[in-house]
Structures are given as C-alpha cells and as structure tokens.
Amino acid sequence: MNVIIGNKDKVIYDERQLLVRRKASNTGYMILIIYVFLVGMADDMFKWHVLMSFAGLMLGVFISLGVYIILCIAGDAYIALSENKKGKIMVIAVVAIVNIFPAYAAIKDGSGLIEDGRLGIRCMNIICMVLIAAITIAFAIKDICNKKLKDSDEE
C-alpha cells in the first residue's frame, strides 16, 4: 500500500505494534486454516459444494484478512507511527468506489452469484465491499474510542 500512496520512507512500527501485528497475523492464519477445514468437511461429509470454488475459498482469505486488519486497527498497529493515516484511508476509499459498480451490477443482475451450485466469481466484488465496510466500521469505532479516551484523560 505504501507504493500506492507514494510513501518511500521505511515504515517503522514500535515493539507493541509489532506484537499486535504478529498476534493478529497468527489469528488470521488460524481462521483461514479452520475455514478451509470446515469447507472441506462440509463438502465431503454433507455434499455441500457451495464454497468449493475459487470465490468460496477466496471468501476464507477475505475473512482471515479482515480478522488481521480489524485486530491491527483495534490494537493501534495497522498504521505505523511514520505513516499517513489519511493516505491509507484514501486508498481504501478508492478500492471501495472501484468495487461499487461491479458489485451493483452483480446484485442487480442476480445471475452469476451462484454458478453450478457453487459461489461464482461475480460475488468477489460483493465480498470485497463487505470487507471494506468492516474495515471502515473498525476505523470509525477505533476513532470514537480514541476520542472518548482522550476526552476522559483531559478531565
């Protein structure tokens, strides 16, 4: 993301941020492993094939990525001390805007979301929009909590 927003400086995280990022990474990885296990079990045991497609497995990647990002945001470890928060939020906004049109078309059209009983590739934009909405909500909640904490410290 630093390449996109033009940040050529080395990103520096403090020790606390690195610990939060490591824990969030491990948690996201375990979520992905559990997701793939459950999807495989559902496919083999119950013949439920909906998630056994590229989009279905990418859903697991998006879920684990969302867990990682939200845990980093909650622990103040998503944005480094030397980074521009507004730049990252702008990139997230651009990705959201780019995904609105194909997601709207997929919802409006209705075809292609489920193909041959499996999650279709056209739902990827919808999944991405849900992830971006969760990230945006996490940023907003964290900002509100930080403002309340700052106000209570001033009193």
Side-chain angles (χ1 to χ4, degrees), residues 108-123:
K108 183 180 176 195
D109 189 19
S111 64
L113 297 180
I114 302 289
E115 299 169 356
D116 297 327
R118 297 167 196 242
L119 208 54
I121 195 73
R122 292 198 56 195
C123 71

Side-chain angles (χ1 to χ4, degrees), residues 1 78 87-97 132 135-136 139:
M1 188 175 299
Y78 187 65
K88 279 202 174 187
I89 292 174
M90 290 295 290
V91 171
I92 291 170
V94 168
V95 171
I97 291 169
I132 291 170
I135 292 169
T136 304
F139 266 125

Side-chain angles (χ1 to χ4, degrees), residues 18-30:
L18 291 173
L19 288 172
V20 169
R21 290 174 66 88
R22 187 175 303 125
K23 185 175 180 182
S25 176
N26 291 341
T27 304
Y29 178 74
M30 289 308 299

Side-chain angles (χ1 to χ4, degrees), residues 9-63:
D9 298 330
K10 183 174 177 167
V11 178
I12 300 170
Y13 294 97
D14 64 15
E15 291 176 19
R16 183 196 53 79
Q17 288 177 315
L18 291 173
L19 288 172
V20 169
R21 290 174 66 88
R22 187 175 303 125
K23 185 175 180 182
S25 176
N26 291 341
T27 304
Y29 178 74
M30 289 308 299
I31 294 290
L32 180 60
I33 296 298
I34 292 168
Y35 176 86
V36 170
F37 175 77
L38 291 175
V39 167
M41 292 294 289
D43 184 54
D44 285 345
M45 293 177 70
F46 306 112
K47 305 299 182 214
W48 194 63
H49 308 293
V50 175
L51 297 175
M52 286 303 289
S53 64
F54 175 74
L57 294 176
M58 284 302 293
L59 174 63
V61 172
F62 277 105
I63 290 170

Side-chain angles (χ1 to χ4, degrees), residues 140-153:
I141 290 171
K142 186 63 180 170
D143 282 344
I144 291 169
C145 291
N146 286 345
K147 286 178 185 175
K148 286 184 179 180
L149 183 64
K150 186 178 177 181
D151 290 343
S152 68
D153 286 344

